[in-house]
Amino acid sequence: MLLAARRCAALRPVARRLTVPKAAATEAPEVVADEDKYRGTVLLPDTSFPQRAGAVKTEPKIQKFWTDTNIYEKLWEKGGKAFTLHDGPPYANGDLHIGHALNKILKDFINRSRMLRGDKVRYVPGWDCHGLPIELKVLQQINDKNKKIKKKTGEMPPPLTPLQLRERAAQFAQETVENQRESFKRYGVWADWDQPYLTLQPAYEAAQLRVFAAMFKRGSIYRGLKPVWYSPSSRTALAEAELEYPDGM
């Protein structure tokens, strides 16, 4: 019995702690977070538009409004001093990168600033559709495709003739122009996107020939000797900017 009495005595404090009223347990001071403490002291502007830009959804709506209302064309129809920014064309050999974005957006800054001055701005975008970069892209695609054919059939398809390669390059360039044009539009750049100049257009090539003929008649074109870098694998001359030197040279 003495042992049982000790056990009861030992359990009494536990029982007392378990029967503490809930009100007493919640009397500790409430901790208020700093952001909640100062929330009521910040006076934000009351506007009819949301505080967050939501550019992913908002920008396409704004650009659609520009297209539907012909904003660029209407600004051109207004009077003012004519201003034309000549566009150095990018290569039509792949998707856009940050360099394309920097180039086109800075040009858009210039055009819009001239519009704000009241000038008539005409911006005709262009694409360089000739040259080795586009042909190399096409050859890379063909080589990847031929490797799969050889792996399946055991035979490598015959190489393309120069004419076939040019036709493939022209088709690739035109597809790339469409993709890049849509990306430039998404950047928000204003331009004559429906009337660009392409270096593969017959009219553009004819204009180049006329300029070359005028230079020849003036005596600016002559034949001479000059050492140039040459690529045996590509079978074409190389510019100084296209050369890469190994480390340590």
Side-chain angles (χ1 to χ4, degrees):
M1 292 184 64
L2 182 59
L3 181 59
R6 288 178 179 175
R7 287 179 179 176
C8 293
L11 291 173
R12 281 170 189 165
V14 178
R16 291 195 189 97
R17 287 197 296 270
L18 293 176
T19 57
V20 173
K22 293 183 179 180
T26 57
E27 290 178 356
E30 184 180 356
V31 178
V32 181
D34 290 341
E35 59 181 15
D36 294 330
K37 185 186 302 182
Y38 299 106
R39 189 186 301 275
T41 64
V42 179
L43 302 178
L44 298 176
D46 186 12
T47 62
S48 58
F49 53 86
Q51 294 296 313
R52 297 192 179 187
V56 176
K57 296 181 179 179
T58 305
E59 286 183 357
K61 294 180 181 179
I62 296 175
Q63 293 169 3
K64 185 177 183 302
F65 171 77
W66 292 344
T67 303
D68 295 342
T69 55
N70 297 321
I71 293 292
Y72 175 78
E73 291 76 11
K74 289 180 179 178
L75 290 174
W76 169 254
E77 292 172 358
K78 290 185 176 181
K81 181 181 177 182
F83 175 80
T84 300
L85 178 63
H86 295 283
D87 185 28
Y91 268 122
N93 66 330
D95 296 330
L96 301 184
H97 52 70
I98 190 64
H100 293 102
L102 178 63
N103 180 284
K104 276 292 188 292
I105 292 174
L106 288 179
K107 291 176 180 178
D108 195 54
F109 285 173
I110 297 173
N111 287 332
R112 291 178 189 249
S113 67
R114 302 296 302 210
M115 289 179 184
L116 292 175
R117 296 182 185 183
D119 294 344
K120 294 174 60 175
V121 176
R122 182 77 183 276
Y123 182 44
V124 180
W127 277 271
D128 190 344
C129 304
H130 290 128
L132 186 61
I134 298 175
E135 293 182 2
L136 290 178
K137 272 286 187 179
V138 173
L139 290 174
Q140 181 181 0
Q141 291 182 349
I142 293 174
N143 290 336
D144 293 341
K145 185 177 180 180
N146 289 346
K147 288 179 181 178
K148 295 180 181 178
I149 295 175
K150 183 180 180 180
K151 187 176 181 180
K152 183 180 295 185
T153 63
E155 297 181 0
M156 181 69 77
L160 296 178
T161 65
L163 182 58
Q164 290 174 333
L165 177 58
R166 292 168 191 163
E167 291 175 349
R168 293 281 191 94
Q171 180 182 358
F172 177 85
Q174 290 173 340
E175 293 174 355
T176 304
V177 166
E178 294 299 324
N179 295 334
Q180 290 190 3
R181 173 164 40 192
E182 293 305 314
S183 297
F184 283 137
K185 288 181 179 180
R186 185 63 183 87
Y187 290 168
V189 177
W190 283 358
D192 262 351
W193 295 117
D194 295 333
Q195 298 177 353
Y197 73 88
L198 309 179
T199 59
L200 57 72
Q201 292 171 336
Y204 186 92
E205 294 174 337
Q208 285 183 310
L209 290 175
R210 285 193 292 269
V211 172
F212 184 83
M215 294 174 66
F216 179 79
K217 291 179 180 179
R218 198 167 55 220
S220 302
I221 307 299
Y222 62 93
R223 183 188 296 272
L225 298 177
K226 177 185 177 182
V228 295
W229 295 95
Y230 186 82
S231 172
S233 61
S234 303
R235 293 181 295 178
T236 184
L238 297 175
E240 289 283 347
E242 295 176 305
L243 301 179
E244 293 184 3
Y245 298 94
D247 295 338
M249 290 188 64

